[in-house]
Amino acid sequence: MQITAKNEYESHIKRVIISEEEIKKAVKKAGKMLSEKYEGKPLLLVSILKGAFVFLADLSKEVSIPCEIGFMAAKSYFESTESSGQVQITMDLAQDISQYHVVIVEDIIDTGRTLAEIARILRGRKPLSLEILTLLDKPERRLIDLEADYTLFTIPDYFVIGYGLDYGEYYRNLPYIAEYE
Ligand code: IMP
Ligand code: MG
């Protein structure tokens, strides 16, 4: 589906849930927290494409210690009737992570299945440590017992768009987080 009409595009933005200012403040705080916690340690921020690209870009600018950045992409195949699924890594890190403290930077934790699998794969590579930092958490939807170490915003079960999050590949470039109508 392609959208080119601006009024059609805008008609699906129901209301802003988290403003640009609120995001900025929370991202700044998270960057400061990482800078203090990982000072003097080899830090690798790992973003899961595509949803976390905006968050990682802004967060990384608030990190004031040396750090490396890596990207991964994954495809999930989950049967609705099954509790366990399959995750295929479609793009992998270039780094050997065994010499790094790794922080996974995620856009949103929904059922938790994709991230649980990625965390399992990364733990298997024996990083010095592994933590999960997520911009958003929708705990009501969780199917897997998975907690982020750091959550910037906890939200109800809305479908949200903006700040990296999409509906049909659109709306990732909104500077705020909105509910999709
Ligand atoms: P799960 O936690 O394995 O169910 O999958 C989480 C992924 O689904 C996220 O990384 C997003 O890409 C996508 N997702 C979940 N909820 C939303 C939403 O409200 N808006 C946009 N994408 C979402
Ligand atoms: Mg994602």
Side-chain angles (χ1 to χ4, degrees), residues 48-52 106-108 114 165:
I48 316 295
L49 294 173
K50 302 174 196 173
E106 189 43 316
D107 53 353
I108 187 165
T114 310
L165 291 138

Side-chain angles (χ1 to χ4, degrees), residues 155-170:
I155 60 168
D157 182 16
Y158 301 139
F159 194 84
V160 291
I161 50 174
Y163 205 72
L165 291 138
D166 73 306
Y167 178 79
E169 293 301 325
Y170 287 98

Side-chain angles (χ1 to χ4, degrees), residues 66-78:
C67 74
E68 289 185 39
I69 286 164
F71 293 99
M72 283 179 92
K75 227 186 205 159
S76 311
Y77 305 90
F78 292 116

